[in-house]
């Protein structure tokens, strides 16, 4: 699941002082352990898909704190941040809020969330690396990973079989060999691999697989590194994929990829785990051949290891203005702790930790996304990252590369310069 970063414009001027809230471990004047009321904001995902888990967390809290009143509000992703920004400017902030993991950074930078002690939360030592990064800023923890979603490869078994390939590839060499055969047979109006050029989540997987990075930190300062030899190696392989197998519009992003896939003009995608299933839905499958004919597999990387994937998902945070921070932290652990993770996994989500993730690898239904999620990357946790995303610097670079407007080196150098102008700016 992909969460676009929404820059926390509404709280940019707030600049709440974290120092006034004490250090990690509940040293705040707003500990609120004796509070009688708790307000929890979640998205409609919880309301529609696992309301019983919310009720279980509430019941556990009321058992421990008799008489505690727990209020729930649910919101959709498109309007969530505007509502949150508005309420954070008042004295009536909720006690727990759900955030998309790429949305956390802007709020952490601007002091909107209270620091938490990871030791108070189940499985914190085993949190998935990408999720842990999303709740960490300047060495402190400001949230708890809730659940995750990764990316996998998905292809048409019938198209692969038509060139004599009957099993998903285990190595990148096997993958490209199969795609070469498919492309040759299907012709240049067909995309053996439909890979939108502006899809920076996929492109950066190639960069991180090659040992590169979007940006690196040293001495408290971030510097773009897309022009490093390792990053250039990954970008050149991404361009090779686009040049060799992508015969669609090379100015598009990935927003309608599942729709294009459903039109039957491509054999493979590298996408969020839900996209294959959505493509084969009768309303999207224009071929009438996709149901039961699509297969997920772990994306192999050119490095010889599994391709590192962007790990999307949700986090839970406690606003610094909450008057019940201690109880809020307790509720989060009751909801997203060990028992909650089992419930979330039963609903088809990936858990927030490596221990539970390992159990999913033994089930054929979940083995692919669980294995793929083990190798993951996350965006640079730099104060100006929101500005990088807002300016679509990576997408612009990738379109220039994919369309041939600029060389990989020139486009990467230009992107680095643009990133360096804003990445350290709060």
């Amino acid at each position: 699941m992909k969460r676009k970063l929404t820059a926390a414009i509404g709280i940019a001027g707030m600049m709440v002082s974290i120092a006034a809230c004490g250090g990690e471990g509940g040293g705040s004047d707003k500990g609120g352990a004796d509070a009688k009321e708790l307000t929890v904001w979640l998205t409609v995902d919880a309301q529609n898909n696992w309301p019983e888990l919310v009720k279980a967390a509430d019941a556990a809290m009321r058992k421990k704190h008799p008489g505690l009143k727990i209020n729930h509000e649910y919101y959709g992703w498109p309007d969530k941040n505007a509502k949150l920004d508005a309420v954070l400017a008042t004295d009536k902030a909720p006690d727990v809020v759900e955030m998309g993991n790429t949305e956390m950074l802007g709020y952490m930078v601007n002091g909107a969330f209270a620091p938490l002690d990871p030791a108070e939360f189940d499985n914190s030592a085993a949190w998935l690396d990408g999720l842990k990064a999303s709740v960490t800023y300047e060495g402190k923890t400001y949230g708890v990973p809730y659940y995750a979603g990764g990316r996998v490869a998905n292809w048409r078994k019938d198209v692969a079989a038509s060139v004599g390939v009957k099993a998903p590839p285990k190595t990148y060499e096997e993958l490209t060999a199969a795609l070469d055969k498919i492309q040759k047979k299907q012709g240049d109006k067909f995309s053996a691999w439909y890979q939108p050029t502006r899809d920076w989540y996929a492109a950066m997987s190639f960069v991180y697989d090659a040992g590169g990075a979007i940006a690196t930190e040293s001495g408290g300062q971030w510097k773009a590194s897309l022009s490093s030899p390792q990053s250039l190696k990954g970008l050149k392989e991404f361009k090779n994929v686009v040049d060799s197998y992508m015969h669609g519009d090379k100015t598009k992003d990935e927003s309608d990829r599942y729709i294009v896939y459903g039109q039957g003009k491509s054999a493979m995608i590298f996408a969020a785990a839900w996209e294959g299933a959505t493509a084969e839905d009768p309303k999207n499958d224009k071929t009438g051949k996709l149901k039961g004919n699509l297969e997920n597999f772990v994306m192999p990387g050119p490095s010889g290891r599994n391709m590192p994937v962007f790990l999307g998902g949700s986090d839970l945070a406690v606003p610094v203005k909450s008057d019940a921070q201690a109880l809020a932290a307790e509720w989060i652990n009751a909801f997203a702790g060990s028992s909650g993770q089992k419930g979330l996994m039963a609903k088809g989500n990936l858990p927030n930790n490596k221990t539970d993730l390992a159990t999913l690898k033994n089930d054929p239904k979940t083995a692919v996304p669980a294995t793929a999620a083990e190798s993951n990357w996350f965006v640079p946790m730099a104060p100006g990252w929101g500005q990088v995303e807002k300016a679509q610097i990576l997408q612009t670079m990738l379109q220039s590369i994919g369309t041939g407007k600029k060389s990989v080196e020139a486009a990467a150098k230009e992107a680095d310069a643009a990133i360096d102008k804003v990445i350290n700016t709060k």
Side-chain angles (χ1 to χ4, degrees), residues 262-275:
Q263 294 171 348
K265 296 182 179 180
S266 54
M268 175 189 144
I269 57 174
F270 174 40
W274 56 266
E275 292 188 51

Side-chain angles (χ1 to χ4, degrees), residues 1-3 45 50 100-102 128 130-131 134 145-152 201 270-275 308-315 341 344-345 348-353 357 360 368-378:
M1 71 211 68
K2 178 177 63 180
R3 309 296 192 211
D45 298 340
W50 44 87
N101 63 354
T102 63
L128 298 178
L131 297 186
S134 75
Y146 173 11
Y147 65 91
R151 280 163 171 71
V152 298
Y201 298 101
F270 174 40
W274 56 266
E275 292 188 51
V309 299
F310 174 78
L311 206 58
S314 282
D315 298 324
Q341 290 301 313
L344 289 166
M345 288 190 292
N349 299 293
L350 293 178
N352 67 3
N353 65 91
L357 188 69
L360 296 183
V368 168
T371 301
E374 287 184 313
S375 177
N376 54 77
W377 62 273
F378 198 64

